[in-house]
Amino acid sequence: MKQPTFFLSHGGGPWPFMDGDYRRAHAPLEASLQALPASLPARPKAILMISAHWEEAAFTVMTSPAPGMLYDYGGFPAHTYEVVYPAPGDPALAERVVALIEAAGLPAARDAQRGFDHGAFCTLVPMYPQADMPVVQLSLRQGLDPAEHLALGRALAPLRDEGVLILGSGFSFHNLGLMFSGRGQAPSVAFDAWLQSALPSPEGRAQRLQAWAQAPAARQAHAREEHLLPLMVAAGAADAGAGSCNYHQTDYLGGLTASSFRFG
């Protein structure tokens, strides 16, 4: 059955492996991720994960049958640098992804050494805690061109009919300077309101996303847009599918507004 696509706000660092107030701050996000598999039309055959935490000169696909871990965060408890999410890779899916990207005239490459970064494993742990779902990670492309990432999504759209769940993992608000200074509340509200209005209707959605930097508080919400680009891939793969918000929190880490979205 045809799978939807998702843009997921993935939270801060290795939060699923922590306890206390920091973990509790992620409770609404955790609940939304735990509920996601049951909302699907069928169990996926595999997941294609586009994470904000991987950029390459070409769209690069993880090809390992048993990916390792990449602890791409700092300042967290020691045990969070030893956690493991042992989901299998899917080399056949990786080759299919390369073929689709190249057929669309976009540059593609392979990486047999790359491990799961926290944009990937911190969304997957609540969704599939048994780590029994095959996962392939796909990078962003350096330059962070919105149109190019929308085109990537369109190229990947056939995977939806093949039972592959396409997940874009980023964050609807990602300005750490404003976040940690307590000045992020207003821009996060303003930009989130634009997302809520821009994403539901497929009519003109691609044009709105290409011009995202003109949205209210856009460059305050995303001083650098790597955490927004996975949205372009998910929306591009959705084609004419309607969008809906499947996670919305107005008190994330002291008052930020954050959201995730489903397409199709």
Side-chain angles (χ1 to χ4, degrees):
M1 297 184 74
K2 188 170 190 174
Q3 293 288 348
T5 72
F6 289 84
F7 169 64
L8 304 175
S9 288
H10 61 228
W15 65 266
F17 300 98
M18 297 174 66
D19 296 313
D21 290 343
Y22 192 71
R23 173 71 175 272
R24 283 190 288 274
H26 290 81
L29 174 59
E30 184 168 18
S32 73
L33 293 170
Q34 289 171 335
L36 195 154
S39 75
L40 302 177
R43 179 177 168 86
K45 293 181 180 178
I47 287 173
L48 178 63
M49 173 69 73
I50 300 92
S51 169
H53 290 271
W54 188 15
E55 300 172 34
E56 297 286 353
F59 292 116
T60 302
V61 185
M62 175 191 291
T63 60
S64 172
M69 301 288 283
L70 181 60
Y71 306 112
D72 56 337
Y73 40 76
F76 288 92
H79 78 272
T80 64
Y81 299 89
E82 300 174 357
V83 298
V84 175
Y85 186 75
D90 189 333
L93 173 58
E95 291 304 316
R96 172 72 169 139
V97 171
V98 169
L100 288 170
I101 295 172
E102 291 180 338
L106 297 169
R110 300 166 178 83
D111 188 328
Q113 305 303 317
R114 174 84 180 187
F116 295 128
D117 61 52
H118 83 270
F121 66 75
C122 284
T123 56
L124 293 169
V125 167
M127 291 173 57
Y128 295 102
Q130 300 305 313
D132 56 356
M133 177 65 66
V135 180
V136 169
Q137 243 190 279
L138 172 61
S139 79
L140 303 175
R141 189 180 183 204
Q142 293 168 0
L144 305 180
D145 180 3
E148 195 170 52
H149 288 77
L150 284 159
L152 172 66
R154 290 191 290 270
L156 299 173
L159 296 174
R160 298 176 58 201
D161 290 307
E162 299 167 19
V164 177
L165 179 62
I166 298 173
L167 300 178
S169 175
F171 214 95
S172 60
F173 177 89
H174 194 261
N175 183 326
L176 298 183
L178 293 182
M179 183 182 297
F180 295 133
S181 69
R183 295 180 290 117
Q185 183 175 8
S188 74
V189 169
F191 189 69
D192 190 270
W194 179 80
L195 290 173
Q196 300 290 346
S197 66
L199 298 181
S201 173
E203 186 68 31
R205 183 167 58 207
Q207 290 78 11
R208 290 190 292 274
L209 287 175
Q210 280 185 231
W212 74 271
Q214 310 306 315
R219 282 297 179 186
Q220 292 175 281
H222 294 277
R224 190 175 186 276
E225 56 265 45
E226 81 284 347
H227 274 69
L228 191 66
L229 267 291
L231 167 61
M232 311 304 176
V233 185
D239 190 26
S244 60
C245 181
N246 72 309
Y247 154 72
H248 184 68
Q249 185 173 355
T250 58
D251 62 347
Y252 177 73
L253 293 184
L256 298 175
T257 294
S259 295
S260 297
F261 295 89
R262 170 182 172 139
F263 302 96

